[in-house]
Amino acid sequence: MKLRPRVALTTAVLMLPLAAIFGWVDAQVRERAASDVLVADAMTSLEGDARARCEASPDEWVRAMQGPGRSPPRDPGMFPPPGPPGDPQDRLGPPPRPRPPPPGDAPNAAPHVHLYPLDADLHPSASMIPPLDPALVAAARAGANEVRRRSPGPGRPNEEALLRTPWGTGPCAYVFAVRPAAPTTEDPQLVLRVWGAMLVALVAALLLALGPIIGRIRGLAARVRASARHQYRDRIEMSGDDEIEELAAAFDGAAREVRTHVDAQERREQTLRDFLANTTHDVMTPLTVLQGHLAGLRDGARFDPARVDAAIDEASYIASLVNNLAVAARLEAGEPHLVRMPVDVGRIVERCVSRHRPIARQRGVEIACAVPENVVRVEGDETFLEQAIGNVVFNAVQHNHAGGHVAIVVSELSGGARFRVRVVDDGQRLTDDEIAQLGAPKEDAARTRRRDGHGLGLGITRRVVDLHRMTLVFARSELGGLQVDIEGERSSSETRGEGA
Amino acid sequence: MGQRILLIEDDAALGQQIVGHLRGAGFETTWLTDGKRVHDGEGFEVDLLILDLMLPGVSGFDVLKRFRDASDVPVLILSARNDGETRVRGLKLGADDFLTKPFWPEELLERVRARLRRPELQRGDAIESGALRIDLRTREVSVSDASVALTATEYAILAAIARRRGAPVARQALVELLDSDKEGADRTLDVHVSRLRKKLGEAGAQIVTVWGIGYRLGVSE
């Protein structure tokens, strides 16, 4: 259901019971007011010499109370025939002083109150008295000084009250006060029409007020749809300073979030595509070389150890390349997710040496490492850190010569607050420019990698070191080749063997 | 009888190669192609478990958890997956070391020996290396039962490299044992080691200079 009919229906459904409740409350208030006026009028009539006149001649007093031209309550069956003719004012003294009409009621709609005396046992003292409701009598006998009721009448009901007089004895100990029903001026249909008109006016006003709101909501829906068509690249904005504008801002925030996820997903997919393409290209080439060596071994007339070494070299390179490509894929896919945990740097270095020792031995390169007695722990991603240090070790072995050396030393610095992993070799000597280039970050590691270079591997090392807030420094080694220092903050200290 | 190793590896070619290398190195090796038996409560009477994570049926992690519930012997994980999550999960379940595929046979054997080796530090014990004997408690050094008189500095250097026998100790760590200032100590370390070698006689040859690092006592690990 659209917003307009929904609001109209809701308003109508809510207003009908509300109107009924208001009408009922209004009627109750009116009835209470009429009853209060009846009692007040009756009590006023009992002031002055009313007692003496009533006790002297109850019938006369009754007639005097009805006054000239006053009509009895409009239920003839309830009253005896009228009393003797004559002007009761001549016989009973002056009539009661005029009373003001009840507030809010027209004088002709509020006839005078009729009073009928009863004795202390609630027996009528006058000959002319309408029948009393037994409930009123019972309540008065129970001790109530004032009992009220409404009796049915034509148009408007009669107001009745049984009141104990201020003196409370004699033939006029009680009075039965009745305000005869007056012709009502209220037309029920008119009341319904007024309420109906108010309801219609209210609904119409609501629908009119809803117009601009619905227009703004439709505008917002159109903007959201347009933004969705352009993969949420368009801003969702609405003018104004209301809830619709807040809703638009919320949609805009959600759209930006969706856009961020979509971008990240696209980057991941692109990274995966690049990874597959690079892996296919870079692995296939050394694999082809490896196949060539194996074919040569199969077809060769004699066993050639150099060819076996070359094949092993290719296999080692392929393994290193695939590992680096996998790490690069994780590093290049947006913000890399580091699995941080306390990592033993000494264990990492020992594993790196263990991994590269077979290929170093084959190349005639001696490789060794030293770690301090105290365990050097850092908070970091063990896989990334191992790959980063391993790449430096791999390069030191690869860019070396038979009879060369590679040494890795883990040291505690600054009294144990920091650590350093130093990889030194006595292999290929580099110029100052070449060393400076090693320290410079590459824009695209994948494109700068080359078979004989440090592109991909050192690019990964540089990125991992940055992610762990460590430093990477290249220098010429005093021992002949390259010296690479990785330094960082240590997270805890303990003796090796106790917690390692 | 060699130390017993249980290998759980589903790949026939790789499993056969690993078994060959381990038996060749003197280890008594049992090879299973899945983890069902371990998961069912068998195979715990070994000195080391080599476990491949990617197994048919029961996963390597489940096998590791079941094994660790029943045994404290070292577990070496073999995995082609080299990501942090896998490694952390393995370590949390009680793995002692990870070996990422592909690996060289020598690397596997080195890792296995490292896991089966006794703790490196031998504080409070006497360390023996060939004819050389160092009593860390009484600070007495002897070669072929003949006592050798060393200066405090010489003893400190010898004890430092003896405590990590077979593993190189960095010069920086040894220099810190000397009393003289750093510049002088760095130069005099070699002098102290030279004197130490002379005093130890034939056993002095066990103090090996390690290129780029420092010194080592005994054969390389």
Side-chain angles (χ1 to χ4, degrees):
Chain A
M1 188 185 282
K2 294 278 190 183
L3 195 56
R4 270 183 213 269
R6 181 185 291 272
V7 169
L9 185 64
T10 307
T11 307
V13 168
L14 281 175
M15 285 304 294
L16 284 174
L18 276 176
I21 290 169
F22 285 144
W24 180 82
V25 170
D26 178 61
Q28 292 298 311
V29 170
R30 283 169 181 267
E31 285 172 13
R32 182 70 192 177
S35 177
D36 288 347
V37 169
L38 169 69
V39 172
D41 285 353
M43 295 311 288
T44 305
S45 299
L46 295 175
E47 291 173 353
D49 59 349
R51 179 180 182 182
R53 290 165 55 204
C54 177
E55 289 178 352
S57 175
D59 283 334
E60 286 299 321
W61 186 71
V62 167
R63 274 194 291 275
M65 285 298 103
Q66 290 175 357
R70 291 180 182 177
S71 58
R74 292 181 181 178
D75 190 353
M78 293 176 65
F79 287 86
D87 187 358
Q89 198 171 0
D90 296 340
R91 285 169 278 134
L92 294 174
R97 63 177 183 271
R99 298 178 296 270
D105 212 350
N108 61 348
H112 287 291
V113 62
H114 294 225
L115 298 174
Y116 304 95
L118 296 95
D119 62 16
D121 294 328
L122 293 165
H123 295 131
S125 303
S127 56
M128 189 175 58
I129 184 167
L132 278 173
D133 182 40
L136 287 180
V137 176
R141 285 201 170 119
N145 291 328
E146 177 188 315
V147 193
R148 306 178 186 193
R149 79 180 280 262
R150 289 169 67 82
S151 68
R156 223 164 51 171
N158 290 330
E159 293 291 337
E160 297 178 358
L162 182 56
L163 306 170
R164 189 182 180 88
T165 56
W167 52 91
T169 56
C172 299
Y174 288 87
V175 291
F176 178 48
V178 179
R179 188 186 301 282
T184 179
T185 57
E186 292 176 356
D187 180 358
Q189 287 190 350
L190 180 63
V191 171
L192 277 178
R193 277 199 293 272
V194 169
W195 277 100
M198 285 175 61
L199 182 62
V200 170
L202 183 64
V203 171
L206 273 173
L207 294 182
L208 205 60
L210 272 176
I213 297 172
I214 290 173
R216 283 174 62 73
I217 291 174
R218 283 179 178 155
L220 173 60
R223 283 170 172 79
V224 172
R225 278 194 290 270
S227 180
R229 274 197 300 276
H230 296 96
Q231 295 182 308
Y232 297 103
R233 290 187 192 284
D234 297 347
R235 296 293 306 271
I236 301 170
E237 290 175 317
M238 292 288 287
S239 59
D241 184 21
D242 59 1
E243 285 77 1
I244 307 289
E245 193 271 335
E246 286 179 19
L247 191 59
F251 272 123
D252 195 45
R256 279 202 303 275
E257 193 71 19
V258 169
R259 186 65 245 158
T260 303
H261 286 297
V262 169
D263 286 345
Q265 181 68 28
E266 286 176 355
R267 275 200 302 276
R268 279 195 291 273
E269 287 176 3
Q270 186 59 45
T271 303
L272 183 62
R273 283 194 292 272
D274 291 346
F275 173 70
L276 287 174
N278 291 333
T279 306
T280 305
H281 171 265
D282 295 327
V283 172
M284 288 309 171
T285 305
L287 208 52
T288 306
V289 177
L290 177 61
Q291 284 179 339
H293 287 312
L294 292 173
L297 285 171
R298 181 192 61 198
D299 301 335
R302 61 182 181 83
F303 178 74
D304 183 0
R307 194 179 278 275
V308 175
D309 286 349
I312 289 174
D313 220 24
E314 289 300 327
S316 173
Y317 174 71
I318 292 169
S320 170
L321 184 63
V322 171
N323 274 331
N324 272 331
L325 286 170
V327 171
R330 288 169 61 198
L331 288 174
E332 289 171 12
E335 190 62 29
H337 173 60
L338 299 186
V339 183
R340 290 187 186 273
M341 58 182 292
V343 176
D344 180 350
V345 177
R347 278 282 291 278
I348 288 181
V349 167
E350 286 171 344
R351 276 206 297 267
C352 288
V353 170
S354 163
R355 168 136 296 195
H356 292 94
R357 182 169 282 135
I359 198 74
R361 184 177 293 140
Q362 176 205 298
R363 296 173 73 92
V365 176
E366 189 179 299
I367 184 170
C369 71
V371 299
E373 280 193 22
N374 290 332
V375 176
V376 174
R377 284 196 198 285
V378 297
E379 280 289 321
D381 186 303
E382 188 168 11
T383 308
F384 281 152
L385 286 173
E386 188 166 330
Q387 193 68 29
I389 296 172
N391 285 338
V392 178
V393 176
F394 178 84
N395 282 337
V397 173
Q398 288 290 322
H399 300 282
N400 217 311
H401 48 76
H405 303 83
V406 175
I408 305 105
V409 180
V410 182
S411 315
E412 300 170 85
L413 306 176
S414 308
R418 294 178 63 78
F419 77 95
R420 179 183 66 205
V421 177
R422 170 168 287 177
V423 181
V424 290
D425 65 70
D426 56 355
Q428 183 182 333
R429 286 192 71 86
L430 298 178
T431 64
D432 289 343
D433 284 347
E434 286 172 326
I435 290 175
Q437 280 181 4
L438 290 177
K442 306 289 190 296
E443 284 187 4
D444 184 349
R447 273 188 285 169
T448 58
R449 71 174 176 273
R450 52 195 183 275
R451 183 67 204 281
D452 58 344
H454 306 268
L456 181 63
L458 285 188
I460 287 170
T461 300
R462 198 177 295 110
R463 180 93 168 97
V464 170
V465 161
D466 286 345
L467 285 171
H468 287 80
R469 299 178 188 279
M470 297 174 183
T471 59
L472 177 68
V473 178
F474 297 90
R476 188 176 294 113
S477 165
E478 294 174 359
L479 299 169
L482 187 66
Q483 172 178 297
V484 185
D485 284 351
I486 296 173
E487 287 187 24
E489 281 188 19
R490 184 185 190 175
S491 64
S492 69
S493 170
E494 60 191 279
T495 303
R496 186 164 295 281
E498 290 174 3
Chain B
M1 192 169 73
Q3 288 169 300
R4 293 159 302 176
I5 294 176
L6 173 62
L7 168 69
I8 305 179
E9 166 62 62
D10 65 313
D11 186 88
L14 181 58
Q16 206 165 2
Q17 271 191 7
I18 293 174
V19 169
H21 291 303
L22 290 173
R23 286 182 179 157
F27 295 108
E28 191 182 313
T29 309
T30 306
W31 174 26
L32 302 176
T33 54
D34 61 52
K36 193 171 178 306
R37 274 177 59 187
V38 171
H39 199 258
D40 291 344
E42 296 180 45
F44 300 131
E45 301 301 318
V46 292
D47 298 305
L48 178 87
L49 169 66
I50 301 176
L51 176 65
D52 182 25
L53 281 184
M54 303 283 277
L55 292 171
V58 185
S59 100
F61 286 120
D62 291 338
V63 175
L64 173 59
K65 187 171 185 304
R66 179 73 184 87
F67 187 84
R68 193 44 90 215
D69 287 344
S71 173
D72 291 327
V73 303
V75 176
L76 174 60
I77 295 284
L78 303 182
S79 176
R81 294 179 58 183
N82 190 23
D83 57 87
E85 287 86 355
T86 304
R87 194 172 286 219
V88 167
R89 192 177 170 195
L91 292 176
K92 279 185 177 171
L93 286 174
D96 295 271
D97 201 0
F98 265 79
L99 189 54
T100 312
K101 296 176 185 174
F103 50 82
W104 297 104
E106 297 99 307
E107 188 183 0
L108 172 68
L109 291 176
E110 191 174 327
R111 296 285 190 92
V112 167
R113 289 192 185 105
R115 288 295 110 205
L116 290 172
R117 196 179 300 134
R118 292 170 58 201
E120 295 158 339
L121 291 179
Q122 302 180 38
R123 285 200 182 115
D125 296 332
I127 301 171
E128 292 186 2
S129 178
L132 176 65
R133 186 175 191 280
I134 305 146
D135 192 323
L136 297 174
R137 201 171 297 162
T138 61
R139 300 170 69 89
E140 287 179 358
V141 176
S142 60
V143 176
S144 301
D145 295 331
S147 181
V148 180
L150 299 179
T151 65
T153 302
E154 288 163 356
Y155 174 80
I157 292 169
L158 182 61
I161 59 175
R163 276 201 298 270
R164 311 217 51 205
R165 192 164 68 95
V169 177
R171 290 180 65 86
Q172 184 195 350
L174 297 174
V175 162
E176 286 172 2
L177 301 172
L178 309 183
D179 290 335
S180 50
D181 65 278
K182 187 179 183 306
E183 197 65 31
D186 199 38
R187 283 197 302 270
T188 57
L189 174 65
D190 295 331
V191 178
H192 285 294
V193 171
S194 176
R195 285 180 188 153
L196 184 58
R197 279 175 174 149
K198 278 182 187 168
K199 286 185 179 179
L200 294 177
E202 287 184 2
Q206 289 190 49
I207 302 176
V208 180
T209 304
V210 182
W211 185 92
I213 296 179
Y215 295 98
R216 181 187 74 219
L217 179 71
V219 292
S220 169
E221 292 177 330

